[in-house]
């Protein structure tokens, strides 16, 4: 039997705080979503001025990154590369850059999804959040 790492509420709060700080530092109005390794929502935070649709897109990006154990950008690149049949993949809706898995010792603990600015900036915010817990 193996030991499994999991996010605790304190971790989620640190990730959210650091992601928010990165967004505010750059004056980016975004929604930040954090999910567990099964893609279940643990945190949703919509900053002032963030588009309403971002509250749907950010959790979808996080869900995709957690279930796939890789950045959601990978799926965007696959589709943009011509494999449009991947759009029919079940339970995978957030196939845009901005979902980043939280990995520790090869295990996925969850993911952070961000939406509201350029996709590369969304990913930057997600990575800043994850860095706050030393990963």
């Amino acid at each position: 039997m193996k030991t499994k790492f999991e996010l605790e509420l304190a971790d989620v709060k640190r990730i959210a705080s650091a992601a928010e700080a990165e967004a505010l530092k750059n004056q980016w109005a975004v929604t930040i979503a954090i999910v567990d390794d099964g893609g279940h929502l643990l945190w949703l935070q919509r900053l002032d001025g963030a588009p309403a649709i971002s509250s749907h897109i950010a959790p979808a990006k996080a869900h995709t990154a957690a279930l796939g154990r890789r950045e959601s950008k990978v799926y965007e690149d696959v589709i943009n590369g011509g494999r449009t049949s991947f759009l029919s993949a079940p339970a995978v809706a957030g196939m845009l850059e901005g979902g980043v898995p939280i990995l520790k010792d090869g295990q996925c603990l969850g993911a952070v999804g961000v939406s509201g600015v350029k996709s590369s900036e969304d990913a930057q915010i997600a990575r800043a959040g994850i860095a706050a817990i030393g990963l």
Side-chain angles (χ1 to χ4, degrees):
M1 191 173 297
K2 295 183 179 182
T3 301
K4 179 181 169 186
F5 296 108
E6 63 180 38
L7 294 172
E8 295 179 342
L9 181 58
D11 300 319
V12 172
K13 287 181 176 182
R14 278 197 301 276
I15 293 167
S17 178
E20 177 185 8
E22 181 70 15
L24 293 176
K25 175 181 82 172
N26 291 290
Q27 298 179 344
W28 293 334
V30 298
T31 295
I32 301 160
I34 304 170
V35 300
D36 66 13
D37 61 332
H40 304 99
L41 190 61
L42 300 173
W43 188 273
L44 182 68
Q45 179 176 1
R46 186 171 148 202
L47 301 182
D48 292 341
I53 197 166
S54 67
S55 64
H56 293 277
I57 296 172
K61 289 179 179 183
H63 183 265
T64 295
L67 292 183
R69 279 38 177 173
R70 59 184 49 95
E71 292 202 24
S72 56
K73 183 182 187 324
V74 170
Y75 302 109
E76 180 178 5
D77 290 344
V78 164
I79 294 162
N80 288 342
R83 191 167 179 212
T84 56
S85 63
F86 198 81
L87 289 167
S88 67
V92 184
M95 294 183 277
L96 301 166
E97 184 177 7
V100 180
I102 304 167
L103 303 171
K104 178 176 175 55
D105 298 338
Q107 293 182 33
C108 182
L109 285 69
V112 179
V114 179
S115 178
V117 287
K118 292 180 189 173
S119 291
S120 60
E121 295 166 346
D122 290 340
Q124 176 183 330
I125 295 165
R127 287 189 201 100
I130 294 167
I133 59 168
L135 299 177

